[in-house]
Amino acid sequence: MEGLHHHQYYHRQHHQQQHQQQAMNVNVDVDRLPQWSIQETKEFLMIRAELDPSFMETKRNKQLWESISTRLKEKGYNRSAEQCKCKWKNLVTRYKGCEMVEEEAKRQQQFPFYNDLQAIFSARKQTTSKKRCSDEEEDKGRYRGKEKGKKGVSISGSTSESINDGNDIKEILKCFMRQQLEMEIQWREALEVRENERRLKEMEWRRTMEALENERVMMDIRWREKEEQRRIREEARSERIDALVSTLLNKLTRDDHMT
């Protein structure tokens, strides 16, 4: 019985060592993968943009990433679905980091795919807004239908169509105004963020200048102190020389009188 336990323990240890070795081999293979070129990334973003509506409709997007991997292979780029998913996350992270940069040229310089991702997210925002407006119009249409059914109002065909047309125009205008309001709110928020960044940068610049000014003042004080000490030493040396000369002259004078 004890020998059986020992055999099972040895078998588990051997299996774990094999699993660790396989994991190390996989990591080595991943490290040896070539980096994404600019053209490959461009092709990847074009495919990702085409499938973005599908990504927004479902959370189980494994098949979509596999589809992107297959289309990249058709173009000559061998990338797995997991690599495509990781690449997308990295690009989104870099894009969000560049959103805080004020100048457009600097954004593109720091992240050459900024415009590509901005186009994807802008199209996504427009699609979401249209879908929300469409859902609201559909809900209001169902509500109006129920109210008409309760009241038992019967309206002629031409009159009903004209009323519906007027209501549709009102709903379109409301939807448009709502979108404009959302855009204005987003613009104001972005402006406020940039203004806060400007204030922080200005405060940092002022602190830096104050520190430099304080350092200059301290250097000037130290220089003046050194000059004062040097002047005192020069005066003391001059006094010692004068005293020595006076002593020598007095000695010579006494010697002359004695002779």
Side-chain angles (χ1 to χ4, degrees):
M1 188 71 178
E2 183 176 348
L4 178 60
H5 285 305
H6 178 73
H7 178 72
Q8 291 177 349
Y9 173 77
Y10 174 78
H11 181 70
R12 285 197 300 270
Q13 289 292 108
H14 182 67
H15 181 71
Q16 291 177 358
Q17 291 177 358
Q18 287 183 342
H19 181 71
Q20 292 176 357
Q21 185 66 32
Q22 290 175 357
M24 291 174 63
N25 292 335
V26 170
N27 291 333
V28 170
D29 293 338
V30 170
D31 293 338
R32 293 178 179 174
L33 288 173
Q35 294 183 352
W36 290 68
S37 63
I38 294 178
Q39 184 60 32
E40 181 181 7
T41 305
K42 288 282 188 181
E43 296 286 348
F44 167 72
L45 288 175
M46 290 176 62
I47 299 172
R48 181 60 178 76
E50 293 178 8
L51 297 178
D52 190 68
S54 300
F55 275 95
M56 296 300 296
E57 292 176 357
T58 178
K59 293 183 178 180
R60 298 180 180 180
N61 48 27
K62 182 178 180 181
Q63 293 182 352
L64 295 174
W65 289 116
E66 290 177 353
S67 176
I68 293 176
S69 173
T70 302
R71 293 178 62 176
L72 283 176
K73 288 178 181 179
E74 293 175 355
K75 296 178 179 293
Y77 304 111
N78 188 16
R79 298 290 180 179
S80 66
E82 187 64 26
Q83 290 170 355
C84 294
K85 184 177 180 180
C86 292
K87 182 63 175 178
W88 172 251
K89 290 183 178 179
N90 293 335
L91 291 172
V92 172
T93 301
R94 292 188 61 187
Y95 169 79
K96 291 182 178 179
C98 290
E99 282 185 328
M100 306 305 293
V101 180
E102 295 184 4
E103 298 182 9
E104 188 73 22
K106 288 185 178 180
R107 293 178 184 175
Q108 193 66 19
Q109 184 178 1
Q110 293 180 7
F111 184 45
F113 309 106
Y114 180 84
N115 292 337
D116 300 276
L117 270 82
Q118 188 178 34
I120 293 175
F121 290 123
S122 297
R124 178 186 296 180
K125 187 180 296 183
Q126 292 178 0
T127 303
T128 304
S129 298
K130 291 180 180 179
K131 186 176 183 301
R132 183 166 60 248
C133 292
S134 177
D135 293 340
E136 290 177 358
E137 291 178 2
E138 185 176 352
D139 292 338
K140 289 181 179 180
R142 286 197 297 266
Y143 176 77
R144 287 196 299 267
K146 291 179 180 179
E147 290 296 322
K148 290 178 181 180
K150 290 179 181 178
K151 294 179 180 180
V153 179
S154 59
I155 305 174
S156 62
S158 58
T159 306
S160 176
E161 289 179 0
S162 62
I163 293 175
N164 288 334
D165 291 340
N167 291 332
D168 291 340
I169 293 174
K170 289 181 180 179
E171 293 298 329
I172 292 173
L173 289 175
K174 288 181 180 179
C175 182
F176 175 76
M177 295 300 296
R178 190 181 301 111
Q179 290 179 358
Q180 293 296 319
L181 182 60
E182 291 177 357
M183 292 175 63
E184 184 177 357
I185 293 173
Q186 293 175 0
W187 177 81
R188 289 183 181 275
E189 291 176 351
L191 184 63
E192 186 177 355
V193 170
R194 292 180 181 178
E195 183 64 20
N196 291 333
E197 288 180 355
R198 187 192 64 79
R199 289 199 195 97
L200 291 175
K201 289 180 180 179
E202 184 176 355
M203 292 174 60
E204 185 178 358
W205 176 81
R206 289 182 181 277
R207 286 195 296 266
T208 303
M209 295 303 295
E210 289 177 359
L212 290 174
E213 181 64 20
N214 293 333
E215 185 177 357
R216 187 192 65 79
V217 171
M218 293 300 297
M219 290 178 64
D220 186 61
I221 292 173
R222 288 194 294 269
W223 179 79
R224 291 180 183 277
E225 290 176 351
K226 289 182 180 178
E227 285 294 316
E228 183 66 19
Q229 293 174 0
R230 186 186 64 80
R231 186 184 62 79
I232 293 172
R233 288 195 299 269
E234 288 291 332
E235 290 179 354
R237 188 168 65 86
S238 298
E239 290 176 357
R240 287 195 299 271
I241 292 174
D242 292 342
L244 181 61
V245 170
S246 297
T247 302
L248 290 174
L249 288 174
N250 292 332
K251 185 178 181 181
L252 291 173
T253 302
R254 286 195 301 271
D255 291 341
D256 290 339
H257 286 303
M258 291 177 65
T259 56

